[in-house]
Amino acid sequence: MGDVPVLQGREVGFWHWLDDGRIQCDLCPRFCKLHEGQRGLCFVRGRLNDTLVLTTYGRSSGYCIDPIEKKPLNHFLPGTPTLSFGTAGCNLACKFCQNWDMTKSRETDELADQASPEDIARAAQALGCKSVAYTYNNPVVFHEYAIDVAKACHEVGVRSVAVTAGYVTEEPRREFYRCIDAANVDLKAFSERFYHKVTGGHLQPVLETLEYIKLETSVWLELTTLLIPGENDSEQELNEMTQWVVEKLGPDVPMHFTAFHPDWKMMDTPPTPPETLTRARQIAMANGVRYAYTGNVHDKSGGSTYCHNCGERLIGRDWYVLSTWNLTGDGHCKSCGTACAGVFEGPPGHWGARRQPVRLSDHRV
């Protein structure tokens, strides 16, 4: 790792002065308190010339066209491609982070590509992407850049997808989700112990974000929980989590239970057995979750969508490849007419499992 780069960036909001002369960042529940020249835990927001700056505005860790199902979003424009990007930095400190090379990067001068919001929107349109996904790290930390990209995308008919841990405070949360069309939020566990010990954060702000998205916005919402053996995979915790989801968010919010593999600071923890994912899916459905999925494993049954009324397989999936399609254009079961919750527009896309890295400089107008 090289020397820490000199602090520079675009002036941003969501901060205030403290009586001791420090400034406090109010973007997320960490509330980092900064002297001149200091950075927050996220590393990409810091104090410069008595204001707060974002060091990664317009600078990405790279761009890639992914299937929307990889986010994972199974009920939002299935089969379509999304232009994915992220930046350096993150406001959590998950010991199991599987993108740690980006989220914990201090080499901000090494970011792969620079692009204005309009560059990204035009590239997504030119590449045939139905959406742009803010992913790889937590878009909370590049709040202003993500919002500007979302606004530019909407101008050309491209939607915006947030893949996020939901660790954000009330005012920026409102501002952000006014611009977002769909979100997959990591509900990393259902215990304060786990959040404090393993992520360096707290559970309650995430629950507040979930309730806000579902109850006060039109954003399509799905949830992901990475199940880590011995940490967040007990039957009691899975029961409590899925019961809370049905009670507070409703039965139509899809839940994805995905497999952990050893990474970063949890190299000694074993991978998640496939049967753990199957058990979690069964617990969720028994508690009233209508759409529960397994992920990071090859499981055609656990990856497919079924009608909650008649049991018909509505969308068959083999990894990220769609097979069966028994939905009408507006998302109703062809067998019984029951609506499948989600955002469906005509026949499915056919992007499949392809993952295509791109350089935006090749697509600028």
Side-chain angles (χ1 to χ4, degrees), residues 239-260:
N239 266 306
E240 291 174 355
M241 174 191 290
T242 55
Q243 289 166 0
W244 182 90
V245 168
V246 172
E247 177 186 352
K248 298 295 186 179
L249 309 180
D252 286 337
V253 174
M255 298 190 71
H256 301 258
F257 299 102
T258 59
F260 163 87

Side-chain angles (χ1 to χ4, degrees), residues 31-106:
F31 299 120
C32 294
K33 299 168 179 62
L34 307 172
H35 292 289
E36 181 66 24
Q38 286 187 321
R39 299 168 184 261
L41 178 131
C42 68
F43 193 73
V44 298
R45 303 175 82 87
R47 177 175 170 178
L48 177 66
N49 298 327
D50 291 338
T51 191
L52 194 69
V53 298
L54 171 62
T55 63
T56 54
Y57 190 102
R59 307 169 71 201
S60 169
S61 54
Y63 299 87
C64 189
I65 304 175
D66 289 320
I68 191 68
E69 289 80 9
K70 198 172 189 296
K71 298 303 100 186
L73 286 167
N74 282 356
H75 293 242
F76 185 78
L77 305 178
T80 62
T82 185
L83 179 62
S84 301
F85 79 97
T87 71
C90 185
N91 62 337
L92 288 176
C94 301
K95 294 179 180 179
F96 54 86
C97 183
Q98 299 184 11
N99 287 318
W100 63 269
D101 53 337
M102 292 186 217
T103 63
K104 304 307 173 190
S105 174
R106 298 298 181 256

Side-chain angles (χ1 to χ4, degrees), residues 9-10 56 74 99-100 118 173 186 201-202 204 217 237 253 268 280 298:
R10 176 172 296 208
T56 54
N74 282 356
N99 287 318
W100 63 269
E118 293 73 22
R173 179 169 60 217
D186 285 336
H202 300 284
Q204 187 58 36
T217 78
E237 185 165 342
V253 174
D268 294 332
H298 191 204

